Amino acid sequence: MPKNIAIYGSTGSIGTQALDVVDAHPNLFNLVALSAHSNIDLFIEQCLKYKPKHAIIVNEAKYDELKEALAAEDIEVHTGEQSLIDLAKDADFEMLIAAIVGFAGMSSTLAAIQSGKKIGLANKETLVVAGELVMEAVQANNTELIPIDSEHSAIFQCLVGEQMDELSKIILTASGGPFRGKKPNFLANVKKHHALQHPNWTMGAKITIDSASLMNKGLEMIEAKWLFGLQNDQIEVLVHPESIIHSLVEFIDGSQKAQLGLPDMKLPIQYAMAYPMRIKNDFPRMSLMKIEKLNFEGPDLKTFRNLAIAMEAMAKGGNCPAVMNAANEVVVKAFLENKIGFLEMSDLIEKSIEKIEFIQQPTLDEYFETDKKTRAFCSSLFK
């Protein structure tokens, strides 16, 4: 029987590649629901092609256009943030591909978990903001969270069949982004078109900027902490420019395991969607003979302060990662709109962490309030 799935964020980078996997294996997957925020033209095209039972356009201003375009189809059309949550709870699918970027994806992901659905998680912010609460919900509802991030997928794959009490540490690899080796005097003058030129990966704008600033690696450290139940000192970052080794695990006997592959997000997406099966594909194959050399170096925490900020937020815990994440989303948007410089992003994140009240053990409502207050404060710093 095909697996009934929903893809939230179907017009984004992860969502479109997940649909490529569906195209390659139409007998394995049945699309029950698709969602998009505002990219109405592509979303209409997707809905007409895949004919899901449910189509959710979050931007309510686009609802009438979607409704009219799908009038002749047997597709239920929904709009608004609440529709994402309601369908995550009630719709008849077994797995949600959570590909909405940023904090906006958390509520629907949590709702799906609480209804016992499996999650293919591409939205790292869900665990960064409220990882403890989310993983408690995963356990309480006897479901599974399979990571889609290439690094976390690599760790997940390396740990299949292993005993967690035999794990010593994990090593998350980072490409270093387009500015690897650069110093602050160079970064002070970079513009968004420079930062969007990632050397290895094709990703959405927000994630690409996070990769350039190394914030993406900081978010991944916090995500890994909750996903794999680790202590802070069990997580390391290693810069690996070729992006062939996607991450490693080290066991208590000193042995290390790594997952290798070409930098192609469709592989971890397919792995999560098909898990626990591995399925064939026609993706390009890796040849170490052609690659010849793999390089490694430590991250430059003084130049790329966002990674150091994330490490400090992880160590402090409480709502500090939530403050950091909200401020980061604000400053990345501002940078992409040419309102602030590249190095200013770190300055404004630090100011937000200093300003917003620290809560050691926040409730879910307090996480949402933290997010709201942080966005308002951080936005006020550059208006």
Side-chain angles (χ1 to χ4, degrees):
M1 294 291 291
K3 182 182 291 186
N4 291 325
I5 66 171
I7 301 176
Y8 278 11
S10 66
T11 59
S13 176
I14 297 296
T16 54
Q17 292 180 85
L19 290 172
D20 289 340
V21 174
V22 173
D23 288 339
H25 303 280
N27 59 318
L28 295 183
F29 305 107
N30 176 45
L31 282 169
V32 174
L34 295 176
S35 90
H37 188 274
S38 298
N39 190 346
I40 189 67
D41 292 337
L42 178 55
F43 191 53
I44 289 171
E45 180 182 323
Q46 291 177 343
C47 291
L48 291 173
K49 177 178 179 179
Y50 296 101
K51 302 187 187 304
K53 183 177 180 181
H54 302 280
I56 312 113
I57 186 75
V58 177
N59 185 342
E60 297 181 9
K62 306 287 186 178
Y63 173 76
D64 289 340
E65 186 177 352
L66 180 64
K67 185 78 171 175
E68 182 178 352
L70 302 182
E73 306 295 332
D74 186 20
I75 300 174
E76 296 182 27
V77 179
H78 313 266
T79 189
E81 298 275 358
Q82 189 61 42
S83 293
L84 294 173
I85 298 170
D86 293 342
L87 284 170
K89 291 178 182 176
D90 301 331
D92 186 19
F93 60 87
E94 59 189 284
M95 184 176 202
L96 171 66
I97 306 301
I100 297 174
V101 176
F103 180 79
M106 191 177 82
S107 294
S108 55
T109 301
L110 189 56
I113 292 169
Q114 291 169 339
S115 66
K117 293 178 171 65
K118 296 179 182 179
I119 306 295
L121 187 69
N123 175 279
K124 61 177 62 69
E125 291 84 359
T126 293
L127 290 180
V128 170
V129 172
E132 187 172 15
L133 295 180
V134 171
M135 294 312 294
E136 285 175 356
V138 169
Q139 294 177 3
N141 291 281
N142 193 30
T143 189
E144 293 180 291
L145 196 161
I146 300 98
I148 286 177
D149 269 349
S150 62
E151 296 83 359
H152 300 87
S153 177
I155 299 297
F156 189 90
Q157 293 180 57
C158 288
L159 290 174
V160 170
E162 301 286 355
Q163 300 297 318
M164 287 300 295
D165 61 358
E166 296 175 351
L167 176 67
S168 175
K169 65 180 179 181
I170 69 168
I171 303 168
L172 299 171
T173 54
S175 70
F179 305 137
R180 181 176 65 88
K182 303 300 184 184
K183 296 301 179 182
N185 60 344
F186 175 90
L187 297 177
N189 299 310
V190 302
K191 303 299 182 184
K192 70 176 182 179
H193 66 277
H194 301 122
L196 288 171
Q197 295 172 7
H198 196 284
N200 299 333
W201 297 95
T202 300
M203 305 177 290
K206 194 269 183 184
I207 298 174
T208 304
I209 299 303
D210 281 346
S211 179
S213 73
L214 290 196
M215 176 57 85
N216 202 42
K217 209 53 50 179
L219 298 175
E220 288 173 7
M221 292 182 73
I222 301 171
E223 179 184 7
K225 172 181 179 175
W226 298 114
L227 185 59
F228 301 111
L230 303 173
Q231 300 299 312
N232 296 341
D233 61 3
Q234 289 182 289
I235 309 167
E236 295 182 5
V237 169
L238 181 66
V239 175
H240 167 48
E242 293 81 10
S243 296
I244 295 299
I245 295 178
H246 297 302
S247 279
L248 310 89
V249 299
E250 181 178 285
F251 296 98
I252 54 176
D253 61 357
S255 176
Q256 293 188 351
K257 286 172 67 174
Q259 188 263 330
L260 286 71
L262 295 174
D264 184 347
M265 278 305 300
K266 284 198 287 291
L267 183 57
I269 292 169
Q270 176 184 282
Y271 182 83
M273 290 172 66
Y275 182 81
M277 295 191 302
R278 281 191 185 272
I279 55 179
K280 292 183 179 180
N281 58 51
D282 60 359
F283 303 159
R285 273 12 187 196
M286 177 185 67
S287 169
L288 289 175
M289 291 288 288
K290 293 181 179 179
I291 294 169
E292 295 184 347
K293 185 183 294 186
L294 300 177
N295 295 281
F296 307 94
E297 61 191 56
D300 180 355
L301 298 180
K302 291 184 178 179
T303 300
F304 296 93
R305 289 160 46 214
N306 275 0
L307 180 55
I309 292 169
M311 290 176 172
E312 292 168 2
M314 181 173 70
K316 188 172 183 179
N319 69 334
C320 191
V323 174
M324 179 197 73
N325 179 73
N328 182 63
E329 290 191 15
V330 170
V331 299
V332 168
K333 184 174 184 292
F335 174 71
L336 288 169
E337 294 173 351
N338 300 312
K339 294 179 179 178
I340 62 173
F342 187 83
L343 293 178
E344 286 181 87
M345 292 193 290
S346 298
D347 296 335
L348 300 184
I349 293 169
E350 286 184 324
K351 289 179 180 178
S352 298
I353 291 173
E354 293 170 2
K355 175 67 176 180
I356 302 301
E357 177 188 3
F358 175 68
I359 305 172
Q360 183 65 64
Q361 292 184 304
T363 64
L364 186 60
D365 287 343
E366 286 172 330
Y367 279 125
F368 279 97
E369 187 64 20
T370 293
D371 181 84
K372 181 180 178 181
K373 287 180 178 179
T374 303
R375 290 174 191 273
F377 172 75
C378 191
S379 296
S380 72
L381 296 177
F382 55 86
K383 283 184 177 178

